[in-house]
Amino acid sequence: MSVNSIREVNFDGLVGLTHNYSGLAHGNVASMSHGGLVSNPKEGALQGLAKMKSLMDAGYAQGVLPPQQRPDLGALRDLGFSGSNSEILAKAAKQAPQLLRAVCSASSMWTANAGTITPSVDAPDGRVHFTPANLQSSFHRYLEPKTTGRVLQAIFRDEQRFAHHPVLPATPAFSDEGAANHTRLCGEYGEPGVHLFVYGRQAFGDPSSSGREPKRYPARQTLEASQAVARQHGLSDAQTVFAQQHPEAIDAGVFHNDVIAVGNGPVLLYHEMAFLDEERTLDELRAKMSTPLIPVRVPVEAVSMEDAVASYLFNSQLLSNPDGTMTLVVPSECQEREAVWNTIQNFILAGNNPIGEVIVKDVKQSMRNGGGPACLRLRVVLTEAERAALTGRVLLSDALYSDLTAWVNRHYRDHLTSEDLADPQLATEVLTALDELTQLLQIGPVYPFQLG
């Protein structure tokens, strides 16, 4: 097997039909500050598809993951609401409007939180390993893992090549937010890698030795969750580094590590405030990596924490090119902050590192809810044979892009308010659209309404 035949595929989540601004995510500054705005689900889905298409056209491997079934009427029934669908929606809107907004969240678009992936080159059994994230830190995301697991198993179905693990116990001790707190660093994608797991707090052990914790916002990832995923995937001590996220960064709105750092190949682009023990983290990575680490450190004097969170500079995609250079895909908000744009042009691109190009993408519908380009994609390193073993029509092509764009234009609304979420017609529109989508993607039944 040629190392060069192994590629990273970015599986982007389609923005769902109920994409709305409810400000549900505590600690996510963008989500909280935009709560109550009128959303445009159609524009959001088309923006996401446009990003996928442009990266595909540039030669990067691009996949697609479907949105979840929303509103989650089953969750409302479990919580005591009864009657027909329209009656349940009406009761929830009147008695628990925040709950209704939660079961309508389109947060599954941020597939960086879908799970944690270990490529076959790193796994002792030679298979690609998947663990869906439990996302137990917030109710609206806690609803996702069952469907996420079904989707991943539907696409990565070949048991000889893919291994699926159970979701970690949905308790605070094993709070797991998926690949948003995980980075694989390596030489080429097909070479053995070192897995950097970043956590916000430690659940067990001596409190005096477990490090500092944030004071304003919750730390969503635990050390114990990261360690459990590494064990599930068979990763050894020599393949893993566990680093605590800086609590001051979490309190500034860095709810996931991918809001303050992004890695690709041997490059780690990170803010000075990313890690509580920066020196130890870098030293351990250097000691365990077979390829020299290339750290690109952005000091707070260049980009303040406020600018980092507002621009999502570090929630960018860092992509490898055949000539050994890398491309940084940033949200358009980076251009709107002078300090950030100057840092990109005069420090990152001009620095002694492989990053040689920046591409700006408009993903404002997602950004207003706190998700940039990196949030929208799940990275899966696959061999040529593993790519050929995928089930369904999920690798983007010109034909699939055309079909998905037409599907969005047929089914999505271009205007959605919080009051619209109680409209029973919206729920019907979603089921019709998703049923058609599973046929278009050829992945079979994955949604609760399809399973009975």
Side-chain angles (χ1 to χ4, degrees), residues 391-439:
T391 300
R393 189 178 172 226
V394 294
L395 294 180
L396 198 65
S397 62
D398 287 335
L400 180 57
Y401 171 76
S402 177
D403 288 347
L404 288 172
T405 300
W407 173 79
V408 168
N409 283 320
R410 276 196 305 275
H411 295 290
Y412 278 60
R413 298 187 181 189
D414 58 12
H415 180 279
L416 202 65
T417 67
S418 295
E419 290 71 28
D420 293 330
L421 301 178
D423 179 3
Q425 182 57 36
L426 175 63
T428 300
E429 292 168 11
V430 170
L431 299 187
T432 300
L434 294 183
D435 201 41
E436 183 179 318
L437 179 64
T438 54
Q439 297 174 55

Side-chain angles (χ1 to χ4, degrees), residues 214-292:
K215 296 179 173 62
R216 184 181 184 190
Y217 295 131
R220 299 191 186 182
Q221 183 84 21
T222 64
L223 170 62
E224 290 78 3
S226 296
Q227 291 171 330
V229 171
R231 284 193 298 269
Q232 285 184 333
H233 295 197
L235 296 174
S236 67
D237 289 343
Q239 295 173 288
T240 54
V241 172
F242 299 95
Q244 185 174 353
Q245 190 172 350
H246 204 299
E248 291 180 24
I250 295 175
D251 281 339
V254 180
F255 52 99
H256 291 139
N257 183 63
D258 67 1
V259 178
I260 200 70
V262 57
N264 178 61
V267 175
L268 181 63
L269 171 62
Y270 70 100
H271 191 274
E272 174 186 346
M273 295 293 290
F275 309 108
L276 181 59
D277 193 338
E278 177 187 356
E279 185 176 356
R280 184 202 67 79
T281 301
L282 296 183
D283 286 347
E284 194 171 351
L285 286 170
R286 290 188 179 103
K288 294 183 176 181
M289 289 175 62
S290 56
T291 299

Side-chain angles (χ1 to χ4, degrees), residues 119-239:
S120 54
V121 67
D122 294 341
D125 65 357
R127 295 189 293 172
V128 184
H129 287 251
F130 300 81
T131 297
N134 62 30
L135 299 173
Q136 68 86 46
S137 65
S138 55
F139 174 67
H140 67 287
R141 303 222 64 177
Y142 161 81
L143 299 174
E144 296 175 22
K146 285 184 180 179
T147 296
T148 297
R150 284 194 296 269
V151 168
L152 292 176
Q153 290 183 51
I155 295 170
F156 303 94
R157 190 175 296 174
D158 186 343
E159 294 181 1
Q160 301 300 311
R161 301 185 185 279
F162 308 118
H164 296 273
H165 299 279
V167 177
L168 299 183
T171 68
F174 291 99
S175 181
D176 178 26
E177 300 280 310
N181 292 313
H182 167 263
T183 300
R184 178 179 182 260
L185 295 161
C186 57
E188 300 293 330
Y189 289 132
E191 297 175 0
V194 172
H195 296 253
L196 173 60
F197 290 90
V198 182
Y199 63 94
R201 62 183 173 85
Q202 185 173 336
F204 301 138
D206 181 2
S208 64
S209 63
S210 61
R212 290 156 49 197
E213 292 190 12
K215 296 179 173 62
R216 184 181 184 190
Y217 295 131
R220 299 191 186 182
Q221 183 84 21
T222 64
L223 170 62
E224 290 78 3
S226 296
Q227 291 171 330
V229 171
R231 284 193 298 269
Q232 285 184 333
H233 295 197
L235 296 174
S236 67
D237 289 343
Q239 295 173 288

Side-chain angles (χ1 to χ4, degrees), residues 346-368:
N346 302 322
F347 177 73
I348 296 175
L349 294 181
N352 185 23
N353 66 73
I355 306 171
E357 177 188 28
V358 63
I359 296 176
V360 179
K361 289 295 166 192
D362 180 5
V363 287
K364 279 188 167 54
Q365 285 291 322
S366 174
M367 282 287 290
R368 288 173 187 152

